[in-house]
Amino acid sequence: MKIVVIGTRGIPQIMGGVETHCEELYPRLVKKGYDITVIRRSSYVRIDTPNDEWKGVKLVDIPAPKKKQFEAIVHTWRAINKAKALHADVVHIHTIGPNLLALYARLRGMKVVMTHHGPDYNRDKWGKAAKMMLRLGEIIGCKFAHHVIVISDVIKRLIAEKRHRTKRVSLIYNGVNEGRPCSYPGYFKELEIEEGKYVLGMCRFVREKNLHHLIEAFAKLKGKINPDIKLVLAGDAVFEDDYIAMLKDLARKNGVVLTGFVKGRELHSLLSHTACYVLPSSHEGLPISLLEAMSYKAPVIVSDIPANAEVGLPQGCYFHCGDVEGLAAQLERVLNAGPQKMEYDMTRYNWDHIADQVAEVYESIF
């Protein structure tokens, strides 16, 4: 069976939750005998990564205008046409925006699987017109996809209530690998941080992640915690705008360590030794970065939005979204408690099991 994957910026080592999802999932499906091609947006492809195949996954690069209003839809149109030329049996479309063209893919004679990673129209970065188009993408995808995959029960309920899609819907969670603890003294020296003496925020820099709330909350802890503890933000922005400029300026003024986009040993070392991981988002699907922190047994503090609540953390891990004072109080409590490792139940986030579930979806539509 030939599967062509679209809706992602690409793999490997490209920033984003959907990108991490695809990077973990599709090599596993190749091992199961599926012919997988991921169509990437050429402007995101790193020159130090493979350009035609990676871990058995075929890679095809197609350009698209790097403007957030047009990039996804233009690339999706071109990618569907390329999928047809490649004689795809299935087009697997990730995220709701690209599913504006789910019907077009069907009309071109291919089966369509949609993965709904979250209601992107709730993201602060989009204007009214863009939010309307994203909602339309959700409607079209839910109506015309042969099968819909959702990554959380929150999303499953949403599409049942709002889009009346209840048949051929599968709840398949995001996954996470087992933590690989390590130390990287040279990297920590470069960042000027010490093991166990930093708070970690790790995500793409966009407004709805509320990283400015994390900076403001951490700033309130002066004189209340060990002064050697620093705040580290790992990640970066895809598109620079006024908010990103403000965020980085706020970070610099408050002595925050900005690492940029990290993967590999650098990422493993940061997760291995953080005193606490924080995700203050107002919008998520099912955050892989949170699952990664949990896999390293790090203490976590997250906003109480439905997607984070579904993870089922102890009540003390949550604070009310947008409550900077509440976040500061939680941070103070965790940091003053001293170094600790937490135990979380990670059973349902196993990538091998997830690959089995996606394979069942592919087989079910024929």
mmCIF file of all heavy atoms in Angstrom, residues 98-114:
data_model
loop_
_atom_site.group_PDB
_atom_site.id
_atom_site.type_symbol
_atom_site.label_atom_id
_atom_site.label_comp_id
_atom_site.label_asym_id
_atom_site.label_seq_id
_atom_site.Cartn_x
_atom_site.Cartn_y
_atom_site.Cartn_z
ATOM 1 N N PRO A 98 -4.971 22.014 5.941
ATOM 2 C CA PRO A 98 -4.805 21.327 4.657
ATOM 3 C C PRO A 98 -5.995 20.480 4.249
ATOM 4 O O PRO A 98 -6.148 20.138 3.069
ATOM 5 C CB PRO A 98 -3.560 20.466 4.901
ATOM 6 C CG PRO A 98 -2.781 21.215 5.930
ATOM 7 C CD PRO A 98 -3.824 21.796 6.845
ATOM 8 N N ASN A 99 -6.867 20.137 5.195
ATOM 9 C CA ASN A 99 -8.042 19.339 4.845
ATOM 10 C C ASN A 99 -9.112 20.133 4.109
ATOM 11 O O ASN A 99 -10.145 19.579 3.730
ATOM 12 C CB ASN A 99 -8.610 18.658 6.091
ATOM 13 C CG ASN A 99 -7.930 17.325 6.344
ATOM 14 O OD1 ASN A 99 -8.257 16.328 5.701
ATOM 15 N ND2 ASN A 99 -6.965 17.314 7.252
ATOM 16 N N LEU A 100 -8.875 21.405 3.886
ATOM 17 C CA LEU A 100 -9.714 22.151 2.939
ATOM 18 C C LEU A 100 -9.769 21.443 1.594
ATOM 19 O O LEU A 100 -10.758 21.554 0.854
ATOM 20 C CB LEU A 100 -9.153 23.568 2.742
ATOM 21 C CG LEU A 100 -9.524 24.632 3.763
ATOM 22 C CD1 LEU A 100 -8.604 25.838 3.627
ATOM 23 C CD2 LEU A 100 -10.975 25.056 3.592
ATOM 24 N N LEU A 101 -8.693 20.692 1.289
ATOM 25 C CA LEU A 101 -8.604 20.022 -0.009
ATOM 26 C C LEU A 101 -8.834 18.516 0.091
ATOM 27 O O LEU A 101 -8.481 17.772 -0.826
ATOM 28 C CB LEU A 101 -7.235 20.317 -0.638
ATOM 29 C CG LEU A 101 -7.015 21.804 -0.980
ATOM 30 C CD1 LEU A 101 -5.602 22.044 -1.472
ATOM 31 C CD2 LEU A 101 -8.019 22.272 -2.028
ATOM 32 N N ALA A 102 -9.447 18.059 1.176
ATOM 33 C CA ALA A 102 -9.727 16.625 1.319
ATOM 34 C C ALA A 102 -10.656 16.122 0.210
ATOM 35 O O ALA A 102 -10.449 15.033 -0.344
ATOM 36 C CB ALA A 102 -10.341 16.348 2.689
ATOM 37 N N LEU A 103 -11.666 16.902 -0.119
ATOM 38 C CA LEU A 103 -12.574 16.503 -1.196
ATOM 39 C C LEU A 103 -11.827 16.441 -2.526
ATOM 40 O O LEU A 103 -12.049 15.522 -3.332
ATOM 41 C CB LEU A 103 -13.748 17.469 -1.288
ATOM 42 C CG LEU A 103 -14.721 17.244 -2.459
ATOM 43 C CD1 LEU A 103 -15.312 15.835 -2.408
ATOM 44 C CD2 LEU A 103 -15.830 18.286 -2.468
ATOM 45 N N TYR A 104 -10.945 17.407 -2.769
ATOM 46 C CA TYR A 104 -10.160 17.403 -4.010
ATOM 47 C C TYR A 104 -9.337 16.116 -4.117
ATOM 48 O O TYR A 104 -9.277 15.496 -5.188
ATOM 49 C CB TYR A 104 -9.250 18.627 -4.044
ATOM 50 C CG TYR A 104 -8.338 18.683 -5.247
ATOM 51 C CD1 TYR A 104 -8.851 18.737 -6.538
ATOM 52 C CD2 TYR A 104 -6.949 18.670 -5.092
ATOM 53 C CE1 TYR A 104 -8.008 18.777 -7.648
ATOM 54 C CE2 TYR A 104 -6.105 18.719 -6.186
ATOM 55 C CZ TYR A 104 -6.636 18.769 -7.459
ATOM 56 O OH TYR A 104 -5.805 18.809 -8.558
ATOM 57 N N ALA A 105 -8.733 15.699 -3.003
ATOM 58 C CA ALA A 105 -7.946 14.457 -3.016
ATOM 59 C C ALA A 105 -8.837 13.262 -3.334
ATOM 60 O O ALA A 105 -8.433 12.350 -4.079
ATOM 61 C CB ALA A 105 -7.252 14.273 -1.670
ATOM 62 N N ARG A 106 -10.047 13.253 -2.797
ATOM 63 C CA ARG A 106 -10.985 12.160 -3.107
ATOM 64 C C ARG A 106 -11.363 12.170 -4.577
ATOM 65 O O ARG A 106 -11.425 11.120 -5.227
ATOM 66 C CB ARG A 106 -12.251 12.289 -2.252
ATOM 67 C CG ARG A 106 -12.096 11.817 -0.834
ATOM 68 C CD ARG A 106 -13.438 11.661 -0.155
ATOM 69 N NE ARG A 106 -14.242 10.575 -0.724
ATOM 70 C CZ ARG A 106 -15.120 9.854 -0.047
ATOM 71 N NH1 ARG A 106 -15.315 10.106 1.258
ATOM 72 N NH2 ARG A 106 -15.825 8.906 -0.622
ATOM 73 N N LEU A 107 -11.630 13.367 -5.098
ATOM 74 C CA LEU A 107 -12.020 13.467 -6.503
ATOM 75 C C LEU A 107 -10.902 13.020 -7.439
ATOM 76 O O LEU A 107 -11.171 12.610 -8.580
ATOM 77 C CB LEU A 107 -12.435 14.902 -6.828
ATOM 78 C CG LEU A 107 -13.745 15.372 -6.170
ATOM 79 C CD1 LEU A 107 -13.971 16.847 -6.428
ATOM 80 C CD2 LEU A 107 -14.934 14.533 -6.669
ATOM 81 N N ARG A 108 -9.675 13.074 -6.953
ATOM 82 C CA ARG A 108 -8.539 12.611 -7.745
ATOM 83 C C ARG A 108 -8.341 11.106 -7.600
ATOM 84 O O ARG A 108 -7.371 10.550 -8.121
ATOM 85 C CB ARG A 108 -7.267 13.353 -7.350
ATOM 86 C CG ARG A 108 -7.371 14.854 -7.583
ATOM 87 C CD ARG A 108 -6.265 15.429 -8.435
ATOM 88 N NE ARG A 108 -6.017 14.719 -9.657
ATOM 89 C CZ ARG A 108 -4.923 14.908 -10.408
ATOM 90 N NH1 ARG A 108 -4.014 15.799 -10.036
ATOM 91 N NH2 ARG A 108 -4.736 14.223 -11.514
ATOM 92 N N GLY A 109 -9.255 10.463 -6.875
ATOM 93 C CA GLY A 109 -9.284 9.007 -6.851
ATOM 94 C C GLY A 109 -8.485 8.351 -5.743
ATOM 95 O O GLY A 109 -8.218 7.138 -5.810
ATOM 96 N N MET A 110 -8.124 9.109 -4.708
ATOM 97 C CA MET A 110 -7.331 8.535 -3.615
ATOM 98 C C MET A 110 -8.149 8.470 -2.335
ATOM 99 O O MET A 110 -9.049 9.272 -2.112
ATOM 100 C CB MET A 110 -6.075 9.383 -3.398
ATOM 101 C CG MET A 110 -5.127 9.377 -4.588
ATOM 102 S SD MET A 110 -3.754 10.554 -4.453
ATOM 103 C CE MET A 110 -4.588 12.109 -4.778
ATOM 104 N N LYS A 111 -7.850 7.490 -1.492
ATOM 105 C CA LYS A 111 -8.436 7.422 -0.166
ATOM 106 C C LYS A 111 -7.802 8.510 0.703
ATOM 107 O O LYS A 111 -6.626 8.834 0.540
ATOM 108 C CB LYS A 111 -8.183 6.052 0.461
ATOM 109 C CG LYS A 111 -8.750 4.881 -0.323
ATOM 110 C CD LYS A 111 -10.259 4.769 -0.155
ATOM 111 C CE LYS A 111 -10.779 3.484 -0.786
ATOM 112 N NZ LYS A 111 -12.237 3.322 -0.620
ATOM 113 N N VAL A 112 -8.595 9.057 1.614
ATOM 114 C CA VAL A 112 -8.118 10.161 2.448
ATOM 115 C C VAL A 112 -8.237 9.801 3.920
ATOM 116 O O VAL A 112 -9.315 9.394 4.384
ATOM 117 C CB VAL A 112 -8.909 11.460 2.171
ATOM 118 C CG1 VAL A 112 -8.444 12.577 3.104
ATOM 119 C CG2 VAL A 112 -8.756 11.882 0.713
ATOM 120 N N VAL A 113 -7.120 9.927 4.636
ATOM 121 C CA VAL A 113 -7.110 9.837 6.092
ATOM 122 C C VAL A 113 -6.744 11.207 6.626
ATOM 123 O O VAL A 113 -5.799 11.840 6.152
ATOM 124 C CB VAL A 113 -6.110 8.776 6.596
ATOM 125 C CG1 VAL A 113 -5.994 8.822 8.125
ATOM 126 C CG2 VAL A 113 -6.525 7.384 6.136
ATOM 127 N N MET A 114 -7.514 11.675 7.581
ATOM 128 C CA MET A 114 -7.258 12.972 8.220
ATOM 129 C C MET A 114 -6.814 12.723 9.656
ATOM 130 O O MET A 114 -7.438 11.954 10.381
ATOM 131 C CB MET A 114 -8.540 13.807 8.226
ATOM 132 C CG MET A 114 -8.513 15.033 9.117
ATOM 133 S SD MET A 114 -10.196 15.733 9.273
ATOM 134 C CE MET A 114 -9.906 17.190 10.250
#
